[in-house]
Amino acid sequence: MATSTVENYLKSILRLQRRSGSTAVGEVARELSLTPGTVTTMMRHLSGEGYVDYQPRRGLRLTPDGESAALRVVRRHRLIELFLVQVMAMDWTEVHEEAEQLEHVVSDRLIDRMDEMLGRPTRDPHGDPIPDAEGNIVAMEALPLAEVESGMYRVVRVSDQDPDLLGWLDEKGMTIGEEFELSHCNRAAGVLEIVREEAERLQMGMQVAERVFVESVSA
Amino acid sequence: MATSTVENYLKSILRLQRRSGSTAVGEVARELSLTPGTVTTMMRHLSGEGYVDYQPRRGLRLTPDGESAALRVVRRHRLIELFLVQVMAMDWTEVHEEAEQLEHVVSDRLIDRMDEMLGRPTRDPHGDPIPDAEGNIVAMEALPLAEVESGMYRVVRVSDQDPDLLGWLDEKGMTIGEEFELSHCNRAAGVLEIVREEAERLQMGMQVAERVFVESVSA
DNA sequence: TCTTTTATCTTGATTATTCAAGATATATGT
DNA sequence: ACATATATCTTGAATAATCAAGATAAAAGA
């Protein structure tokens, strides 16, 4: 019964608290492009509803209720994204925005139909894990390409937010599952280079490499 | 850019003005379960936006802009209903509510994908005509079963609002395209009887017959 | 025409969500 | 420890959508 606005707050908090287990008013405000005052007001409200544990000036975190509500939204979002790509033949560059809207209105019934039709999938088109109906989610341990040593890797996840990034990756064939070797990595220059079959080279900037998550291939 | 609320007002007005070409504040209020005062306020607003031509105490009607906005919503609604039945294998009793939500958020892109996937259909699962992308719509001349003489008929449309009604019709096999003979019709008693193949008889009340639209079969 | 009923309108208030701008607390640097 | 910077909070106001209840106009009946 949470409004779309509330669902979006919960989703953001879930993302932001992933690292340290908690987050702050300012982070949420930045994430949602709102003023801190707006977020403070909402945190008081969500705290009253039992969705977040909010200690003024100390920080905030989701309660178990808040977390399961957030996971329900994430599940919807990711199933919808996969559905749009697999069934509707839409492009992975354009499904994020669409899912962002649909996630707040599709019924449980329809979500389950999608889930069934897709064979109870565990990953969305960008490699993000899809929580099951109980909120269980497969942990992802992948590191950003920007933070690993030279070696052989496989793309397991990419950030789904930016259509331009996704478009470029797609064009270069850097989709989920793609394997390659990280050859040079000049952190100072902010550039790194990878090599794929046929000695094909590809350079990319660090802002890109921050958003491509890889796992090591035991060649 | 209209909000869901505005879209719902426009849809209601389109329905209500079908008979006489215009409607009244009270009718809209009843249709949407709102108080007349609320509707008055909204009519002033919609009038300012150029969606309705509102003459206080005289009545209201959609402007050409309002009509095309309303038809866009109706198109979405009906395409979504058909999509849910055809592709998602959902039941015609349950798709109305789902479409009611989705119609306000699906992108033009996704709607066109559905349209394409369904082969540019002209009728939804309840027999209602689907406007094309330009707002052109096939006129429907069917009469309610409650208002016709004895004879042979074919079901061409049923009201999509009430799941119980749809459930009953489905159970009795009274789906779109079904042919039958209207035998008795006792308007005073509010009951009427039809006969189908194998001399199978079926009685129904007038509230039901008001919502089943038929066209004559030239046997 | 006069009265009664019904439809419509107006006013004041409420809820959810947001911002701007000023006040206050916390953290940082010297 | 003190000044400065940053984060957070508070207050007052705005917008969209709504209702309740009283005021007014229009339609219907005698």
Side-chain angles (χ1 to χ4, degrees):
Chain A
M1 323 308 115
T3 62
S4 322
T5 310
V6 167
E7 290 188 340
N8 285 332
Y9 274 95
L10 295 177
K11 248 193 332 174
S12 285
I13 298 169
L14 183 67
R15 275 173 61 88
L16 294 169
Q17 71 173 23
R18 259 190 40 148
R19 319 231 117 193
S20 64
S22 71
T23 184
V25 164
E27 305 243 306
V28 178
R30 211 167 316 115
E31 175 99 353
L32 294 172
S33 302
L34 299 173
T35 60
T38 300
V39 176
T40 300
T41 309
M42 182 56 92
M43 288 313 109
R44 268 203 299 252
H45 178 234
L46 293 183
S47 180
E49 299 282 296
Y51 285 127
V52 311
D53 176 5
Y54 169 52
Q55 312 270 281
R57 293 205 136 96
R58 293 216 127 23
L60 55 108
R61 67 183 57 200
L62 294 174
T63 60
D65 269 16
E67 184 165 331
S68 85
L71 283 166
R72 235 169 21 240
V73 184
V74 169
R75 169 173 164 77
R76 280 151 195 266
H77 182 97
R78 295 183 181 166
L79 272 174
I80 291 167
E81 280 193 348
L82 188 62
F83 177 83
L84 293 175
V85 168
Q86 297 271 282
V87 179
M88 303 308 290
M90 287 176 78
D91 203 292
W92 80 339
T93 61
E94 63 186 340
V95 298
H96 178 72
E97 264 316 304
E98 190 87 40
E100 205 65 19
Q101 295 301 122
L102 293 173
E103 66 188 9
H104 306 298
V105 304
V106 295
S107 67
D108 288 347
R109 188 93 185 70
L110 180 54
I111 277 293
D112 193 61
R113 263 283 185 287
M114 291 183 184
D115 192 26
E116 193 184 334
M117 187 175 275
L118 294 167
R120 313 282 173 200
T122 60
R123 291 295 168 85
D124 81 6
H126 311 99
D128 284 302
I130 300 174
D132 69 16
E134 282 69 47
N136 304 306
I137 186 169
V138 187
M140 293 272 316
E141 292 307 324
L143 290 169
L145 177 53
E147 292 173 21
V148 298
E149 304 296 304
S150 297
M152 290 296 299
Y153 294 98
R154 180 188 302 117
V155 179
V156 296
R157 181 166 81 83
V158 300
S159 166
D160 65 349
Q161 319 262 2
D162 179 2
D164 289 343
L165 168 67
L166 291 171
W168 184 81
L169 289 172
D170 199 47
E171 189 187 309
K172 299 301 181 186
M174 288 289 285
T175 48
I176 306 299
E178 183 71 8
E179 299 190 358
F180 62 88
E181 183 191 346
L182 174 60
S183 47
H184 301 64
C185 176
N186 189 334
R187 240 168 275 267
V191 179
L192 104 202
E193 185 182 87
I194 66 178
V195 185
R196 286 180 295 177
E197 312 185 3
E198 317 292 332
E200 185 198 345
R201 291 157 184 292
L202 181 63
Q203 276 117 39
M204 68 184 81
M206 281 304 182
Q207 344 69 296
V208 173
E210 282 292 351
R211 292 176 167 72
V212 175
F213 297 77
V214 298
E215 89 191 357
S216 180
V217 176
S218 36
Chain B
M1 325 306 117
T3 62
S4 322
T5 309
V6 167
E7 290 188 339
N8 285 332
Y9 274 95
L10 296 177
K11 247 193 334 173
S12 285
I13 298 169
L14 184 66
R15 275 175 60 88
L16 293 169
Q17 72 173 21
R18 259 191 39 145
R19 320 231 115 191
S20 64
S22 72
T23 183
V25 164
E27 306 243 305
V28 178
R30 210 166 318 116
E31 175 99 352
L32 294 172
S33 302
L34 299 172
T35 60
T38 301
V39 176
T40 299
T41 308
M42 182 57 90
M43 289 313 108
R44 268 202 299 252
H45 178 237
L46 293 183
S47 180
E49 298 283 295
Y51 286 127
V52 310
D53 176 4
Y54 169 52
Q55 311 269 282
R57 294 207 136 94
R58 292 215 127 29
L60 54 108
R61 69 182 58 199
L62 294 174
T63 61
D65 270 15
E67 183 164 332
S68 85
L71 283 166
R72 236 169 20 241
V73 184
V74 168
R75 169 173 164 78
R76 281 153 195 263
H77 181 98
R78 296 183 180 166
L79 272 174
I80 291 166
E81 281 194 347
L82 188 63
F83 178 84
L84 293 175
V85 167
Q86 297 272 282
V87 179
M88 303 308 290
M90 286 176 78
D91 204 292
W92 79 339
T93 60
E94 62 186 341
V95 298
H96 178 71
E97 264 317 304
E98 191 87 40
E100 205 65 18
Q101 295 300 123
L102 293 173
E103 66 187 9
H104 307 297
V105 304
V106 296
S107 68
D108 288 348
R109 190 94 183 66
L110 179 54
I111 277 293
D112 193 61
R113 264 281 187 287
M114 291 182 184
D115 192 26
E116 194 183 333
M117 187 176 275
L118 294 167
R120 314 281 173 201
T122 60
R123 292 293 168 87
D124 81 6
H126 311 100
D128 284 301
I130 301 174
D132 70 18
E134 281 70 47
N136 304 306
I137 186 169
V138 187
M140 292 273 313
E141 292 305 326
L143 290 169
L145 176 51
E147 293 174 20
V148 298
E149 304 296 304
S150 297
M152 290 294 301
Y153 295 97
R154 180 189 302 116
V155 179
V156 295
R157 180 167 82 84
V158 299
S159 165
D160 65 349
Q161 319 262 2
D162 179 2
D164 290 343
L165 169 67
L166 292 171
W168 184 81
L169 289 172
D170 199 46
E171 190 187 309
K172 299 301 181 186
M174 289 290 284
T175 49
I176 306 300
E178 183 72 7
E179 300 191 355
F180 62 89
E181 183 192 345
L182 174 60
S183 47
H184 301 64
C185 177
N186 188 334
R187 240 167 275 266
V191 179
L192 104 203
E193 185 182 84
I194 65 176
V195 184
R196 286 180 295 177
E197 312 184 2
E198 315 295 331
E200 187 198 343
R201 291 159 186 290
L202 182 63
Q203 276 117 40
M204 67 184 81
M206 282 303 184
Q207 343 70 297
V208 172
E210 282 292 351
R211 293 175 167 72
V212 175
F213 296 78
V214 298
E215 90 192 357
S216 181
V217 176
S218 34

